[in-house]
């Protein structure tokens, strides 16, 4: 069985859609007891599957399930004093409070860092939002499509030159930001274990995107411009090329010491391999378009399999350019349990992605299916000391859903 280093850690997850729930799912996979707090009626992310043409019912909800397995669920009306009181009882016993609410909303609910730190100095207050804790846009709505992709420049600069902006896949920025938050929380848990003190951990989709675009932002200060064209890349040694049957391969020759080997053994142009106009980083960049045309021509004579053999024999980093759906049958993904099959309540099965970090073993275990709204409300309230009668009263007053 895989090690779960966060066993005995309790996390209260007050977050919606993907970025916050994704971070909490990672912590849950690592062993934490994650209690998802939803509004009565459920969080809005429960219907996102419909946008992608997938079902979104209690019986089967693949998109929601991806970010919410291994959690327990309580549905609370936080607009009521009783709902806030229940949440505070959860926080008193928790190690981590994770939220994706905007700063203004947290302040109105009394769930901002300053208020909770005074009440619960031990707790790790972890926030994930669109644009950050301060600044003119701190309370602006921000999904990954706008705060990660559009605001950062990624949507414009990762596309082809002179084409419309990229249409990003949903949740790409959310998922990367979730990993950063999970890492930050883990560091704060170490500090908590050593000192007993809580911490404030903050990440935003905009910050994550800028971090991911670090090389582009740095090079822009030295005259480098984006977007690029495939026929005029930064370097022809890191570029895509089409084979004789119309398939594509991407090569990545970053080590200048391999330029000569690549040009001689793969491109089969010894003259280029011996020419200082092409066999080094500066020369290849100066003659980028010319060298790209030469490599394109030589590779267009080869099938993808022929080119793959040459690249493997020369030990050059490369990959076939696939569609995301190709991962469903990729033996590397399946054997490492990067994708695992889980069963929905209606008996259907779906291959779902797993968090990338594992401990001791590649095994991934789904301990709890993704929860229904308020599925564990009664059990969690009983753990907090509420009686059956008190729970029924709370339900009748629409403070909870069970």
């Amino acid at each position: 069985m895989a090690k779960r280093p966060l066993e005995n850690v309790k996390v209260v997850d007050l977050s919606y859609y993907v970025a916050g729930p994704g971070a909490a799912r990672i912590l849950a996979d690592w062993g934490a007891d994650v209690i998802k707090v939803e509004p009565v009626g459920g969080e809005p992310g429960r219907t996102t599957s419909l946008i992608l043409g997938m079902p979104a019912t209690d019986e089967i909800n693949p998109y929601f399930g991806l970010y919410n397995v291994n959690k327990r669920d309580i549905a609370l009306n936080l607009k009521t004093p009783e709902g806030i009181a229940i949440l505070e009882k959860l926080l008193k016993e928790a190690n981590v409070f994770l939220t994706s609410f905007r700063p203004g909303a947290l302040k109105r609910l009394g769930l901002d860092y300053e208020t909770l730190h005074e009440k619960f100095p031990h707790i790790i207050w972890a926030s994930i939002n669109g644009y950050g804790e301060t600044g003119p846009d701190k309370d602006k709505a921000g999904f990954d499509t706008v705060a990660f992709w559009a605001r950062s420049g990624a949507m414009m600069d990762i596309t082809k030159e002179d084409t419309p902006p990229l249409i990003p896949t949903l949740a790409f920025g959310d998922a990367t930001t979730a990993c950063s938050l999970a890492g930050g929380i883990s560091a704060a848990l170490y500090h908590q274990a050593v000192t007993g003190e809580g911490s404030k951990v903050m990440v935003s989709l905009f910050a994550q995107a800028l971090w991911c675009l670090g090389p582009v932002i740095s090079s822009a200060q030295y005259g480098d411009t984006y977007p690029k064209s495939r026929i005029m890349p930064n370097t022809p040694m890191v570029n895509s090329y089409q084979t004789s049957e119309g398939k594509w391969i991407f090569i990545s020759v970053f080590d200048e010491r391999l330029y000569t080997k690549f040009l001689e053994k793969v491109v089969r142009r010894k003259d280029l391999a011996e020419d200082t106009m092409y066999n080094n980083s500066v020369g290849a960049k100066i003659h980028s378009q010319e060298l790209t045309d030469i490599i394109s021509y030589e590779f267009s004579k080869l099938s993808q399999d022929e080119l793959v053999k040459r690249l493997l024999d020369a030990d050059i980093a490369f990959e076939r350019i696939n569609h995301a759906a190709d991962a469903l049958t990729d033996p590397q993904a399946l054997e490492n349990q990067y994708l695992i099959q889980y069963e929905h309540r209606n008996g259907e099965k779906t291959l779902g992605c797993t968090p990338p970090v594992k401990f001791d073993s590649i095994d991934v275990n789904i301990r709890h299916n993704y929860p229904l709204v308020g599925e564990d409300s009664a059990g969690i309230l009983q753990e907090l000391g509420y009686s059956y009668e008190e729970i029924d009263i709370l339900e009748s007053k629409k403070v909870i859903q069970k």
Side-chain angles (χ1 to χ4, degrees):
M1 180 182 293
K3 181 183 289 183
R4 299 193 190 105
L6 296 187
E7 286 183 350
N8 302 316
V9 169
K10 181 169 284 188
V11 178
V12 175
D13 171 21
L14 181 63
S15 64
Y16 300 162
Y17 292 107
V18 174
R25 187 263 163 101
I26 292 171
L27 300 177
D29 272 33
W30 295 350
D33 176 16
V34 176
I35 297 176
K36 182 177 181 67
V37 179
E38 293 191 77
V40 172
E43 67 132 306
R46 284 185 176 272
T47 61
T48 309
S49 279
L50 299 174
I51 297 174
L52 299 173
M54 295 185 285
T57 68
D58 286 348
E59 295 298 309
I60 178 169
N61 197 336
Y63 188 85
F64 178 80
L66 187 58
Y67 305 104
N68 289 285
V69 296
N70 288 336
K71 301 179 185 180
R72 298 193 291 160
D73 191 286
I74 184 171
L76 297 178
N77 182 353
L78 296 180
K79 295 180 180 179
T80 65
E82 297 95 331
I84 289 292
I86 292 169
L87 181 61
E88 290 190 349
K89 287 185 178 181
L90 287 171
L91 295 175
K92 185 178 180 180
E93 297 183 354
N95 299 92
V96 180
F97 172 60
L98 190 161
T99 183
S100 62
F101 283 26
R102 291 180 244 174
L106 291 169
K107 185 75 174 177
R108 288 191 296 273
L109 289 168
L111 299 174
D112 55 292
Y113 170 73
E114 289 73 19
T115 300
L116 288 188
H117 181 67
E118 184 175 348
K119 291 180 179 179
F120 312 110
H122 73 284
I123 205 163
I124 295 165
W125 186 94
S127 167
I128 192 166
N129 59 33
Y131 297 97
E133 301 301 309
T134 64
D137 293 328
K138 64 183 177 65
D139 283 311
K140 186 179 179 184
F143 294 100
D144 80 328
T145 45
V146 290
F148 182 96
W149 285 102
R151 181 67 170 264
S152 70
M155 186 178 285
M156 185 64 76
D157 289 346
I158 297 181
T159 189
K160 182 180 176 182
E161 186 179 19
D162 298 326
T163 61
L166 181 76
I167 299 175
T169 59
L170 291 188
F172 186 97
D174 287 323
T176 58
T177 311
C179 289
S180 289
L181 184 58
I185 290 170
S186 297
L189 282 167
Y190 174 78
H191 178 76
Q192 186 187 66
V194 171
T195 68
E197 297 174 349
S199 301
K200 184 178 185 181
V201 182
M202 299 166 288
V203 66
S204 74
L205 294 162
F206 185 38
Q208 181 72 35
L210 295 181
W211 174 250
C212 292
L213 290 170
V216 176
I217 291 170
S218 294
S219 65
Q221 299 168 69
Y222 294 88
D224 196 21
T225 58
Y226 283 80
K228 299 291 185 183
S229 164
R230 196 200 70 80
I231 61 172
M232 190 62 179
N234 266 330
T235 170
M237 301 300 187
V238 183
N239 200 11
S240 58
Y241 293 97
Q242 195 169 30
T243 60
S244 61
E245 69 270 68
K247 297 179 180 179
W248 290 88
I249 277 183
F250 201 95
I251 61 165
S252 290
V253 189
F254 286 103
D255 188 341
E256 189 179 79
R257 294 172 297 179
L258 294 175
Y259 278 29
T260 298
K261 184 179 184 182
F262 170 74
L263 291 170
E264 181 177 353
K265 302 296 184 181
V266 180
V267 184
R268 303 282 174 91
R269 289 289 300 269
K270 189 174 181 180
D271 58 320
L272 300 179
E274 296 174 349
D275 193 330
T276 56
M277 290 177 58
Y278 308 105
N279 68 3
N280 58 84
S281 298
V282 174
K285 185 171 181 62
I286 291 172
H287 301 283
S288 181
Q289 186 169 0
E290 180 188 359
L291 192 51
T292 297
D293 288 343
I294 292 171
I295 297 171
S296 295
Y297 173 72
E298 297 296 337
F299 285 1
S300 71
K301 304 174 187 177
L302 304 171
S303 70
Q304 189 181 63
D305 288 343
E306 290 171 329
L307 181 53
V308 164
K309 185 177 186 311
R310 287 192 189 183
L311 289 162
L312 285 172
D313 289 345
D315 198 24
I316 298 296
F318 77 95
E319 197 50 79
R320 296 174 177 85
I321 299 178
N322 291 331
H323 292 285
D326 294 329
L328 295 171
T329 55
D330 190 319
Q332 193 68 18
L334 297 173
E335 288 185 27
N336 283 280
Q337 295 196 28
Y338 300 152
L339 296 171
I340 63 170
Q341 192 174 74
Y342 63 92
E343 187 172 326
H344 302 277
R345 285 180 169 81
N346 67 352
E348 290 188 38
K349 295 180 179 179
T350 297
L351 276 176
C353 302
T354 62
V357 177
K358 298 177 176 63
F359 301 92
D360 289 344
S361 169
I362 65 169
D363 293 336
V364 178
N365 299 310
I366 303 297
R367 306 191 307 282
H368 308 295
N369 205 334
Y370 51 93
L372 302 177
V373 181
E375 181 176 352
D376 306 291
S377 293
I380 292 169
L381 289 169
Q382 288 172 40
E383 291 173 8
L384 294 175
Y386 287 83
S387 67
Y388 291 112
E389 293 76 14
E390 290 172 319
I391 293 170
D392 288 340
I393 291 170
L394 289 169
E395 184 181 25
S396 70
K397 294 171 67 174
K398 299 190 183 326
V399 174
I400 67 164
Q401 178 179 341
K402 65 181 179 70

